[in-house]
């Protein structure tokens, strides 16, 4: 009985549908047509895959090229914005977290993608006080070593002596060693002493030659010992009432890097 009743119901529905007038069918067609129009008129804002890939390859993405997105009437407009020439942070004191993480003299510096450079500039016989501060970079544009001579000491007096002391998280890269050596050759009265927490890619032959050339140009290259970390903490860290305790392997890692540096410069 259930099957028969089901068949009768279907037949009644079919007959009812057949009994619709032509006007009702036309109205239904019109409604369907409107729904289809809505689907067709849906705007497509997704860029072509090839074009998007090409823009990314050429560095024309919004974040890479300094492009500001502005929405107007629902459409995205791209306007170029002027970016600073260098992504360099300057200051007089850094946070304790930055110091403890970035300056730690570990052998493998995983996650430490910044260079922090604490500097002191003295002018022997001059009337000015020592110039102190720090620079920070993210290896995105100019490195901190190069930025120092562009922002802190861009034009030195040829007749004035300068004693420059750096405390850096790692030794300079190949490009920076060449630039620093060139600066020291040009500025005969500028003396540079660099204390490094770690050695950067010290196994690379090009970097070994670069460090040798830098020392030959007059730079004093040293590794930071526990007392140097204490000095940086006292001078360049916004520590408030916190005290500094060297990490457990600080002395051991210092001994390791001292031997490494000696092998490089021998």
């Amino acid at each position: 009985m259930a099957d028969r009743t089901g068949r009768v119901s279907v037949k009644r529905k079919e007959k009812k549908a057949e009994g619709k007038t032509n006007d009702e069918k036309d109205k239904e067609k019109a409604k369907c047509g409107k729904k289809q129009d809505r689907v067709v008129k849906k705007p497509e804002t997704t860029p072509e895959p090839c074009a998007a890939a090409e823009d990314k390859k050429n560095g024309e993405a919004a974040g890479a090229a300094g492009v500001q997105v502005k929405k107007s009437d629902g459409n995205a407009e791209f306007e170029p914005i002027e970016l600073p020439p260098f992504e360099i942070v300057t200051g007089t004191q850094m946070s304790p977290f930055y110091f403890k993480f970035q300056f730690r003299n570990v052998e493998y510096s995983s996650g430490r993608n910044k260079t922090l450079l604490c500097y002191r500039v003295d002018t022997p016989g001059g009337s000015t006080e020592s110039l102190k501060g720090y620079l920070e970079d993210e290896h995105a544009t100019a490195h901190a070593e190069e930025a120092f001579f562009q922002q802190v000491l861009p034009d030195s007096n040829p007749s004035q002596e300068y004693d420059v002391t750096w405390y850096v998280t790692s030794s300079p890269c190949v490009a920076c060693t060449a630039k620093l050596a060139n600066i020291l050759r040009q500025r005969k009265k500028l003396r540079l002493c660099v204390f490094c927490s770690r050695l950067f890619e010290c196994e690379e032959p090009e970097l070994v030659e670069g460090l040798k050339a830098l020392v030959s140009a007059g730079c004093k290259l040293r590794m930071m010992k526990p007392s140097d970390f204490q000095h940086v903490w006292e001078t360049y860290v916004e520590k408030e009432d916190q005290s500094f305790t060297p990490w457990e392997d600080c002395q051991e890692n210092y001994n390791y890097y001292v031997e490494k540096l000696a092998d490089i410069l021998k």
Side-chain angles (χ1 to χ4, degrees), residues 35-165:
K35 291 181 180 179
Q36 292 176 354
D37 290 342
R38 291 193 190 103
V39 174
V40 173
K41 292 180 180 180
K42 186 177 179 180
E44 296 182 1
T45 58
T46 304
E48 293 289 336
C50 295
E54 187 65 25
D55 290 346
K56 186 175 182 181
K57 180 179 179 182
N58 294 334
E60 297 175 358
V67 178
Q68 186 177 15
V69 180
K70 182 180 179 182
K71 292 185 177 180
S72 177
D73 299 332
N75 296 324
E77 297 179 1
F78 297 91
E79 297 181 354
I81 59 177
E82 186 176 353
L83 295 177
F86 304 109
E87 295 182 6
I88 299 292
V89 178
T90 61
T92 55
Q93 290 187 320
M94 69 187 76
S95 71
F97 171 79
Y98 261 28
F99 168 76
K100 291 180 180 179
F101 180 74
Q102 298 291 348
F103 267 94
R104 186 157 184 166
N105 59 347
V106 292
E107 181 178 356
Y108 301 103
S109 56
S110 177
R112 293 168 174 83
N113 57 349
K114 297 175 181 289
T115 296
L116 269 67
L117 185 155
C118 301
Y119 61 85
R120 176 189 175 102
V121 180
D122 294 300
T123 54
S127 58
T128 59
E129 295 182 359
S130 299
L131 181 64
K132 292 183 291 186
Y134 82 94
L135 300 171
E136 170 192 337
D137 71 46
E138 295 185 351
H139 295 291
T141 50
H143 290 184
E145 297 91 339
E146 180 183 2
F148 172 84
F149 288 102
Q150 295 173 339
Q151 299 185 19
V152 179
L153 205 64
D155 298 314
S156 59
N157 185 352
S159 61
Q160 177 64 57
E161 294 183 355
Y162 292 93
D163 289 332
V164 179
T165 304

Side-chain angles (χ1 to χ4, degrees), residues 7-19:
R7 294 194 188 100
V8 172
S9 300
V10 171
K11 288 182 179 180
R12 286 177 180 175
K13 289 181 180 179
E14 290 176 353
K15 288 182 179 180
K16 187 175 181 181
E18 291 175 357

Side-chain angles (χ1 to χ4, degrees), residues 145 149 166 172 175-185 192 214:
E145 297 91 339
F149 288 102
W166 288 354
C176 286
T177 55
K179 292 176 182 178
L180 293 176
N182 186 45
I183 290 173
L184 292 176
R185 295 188 190 100
L192 177 63
L214 180 59

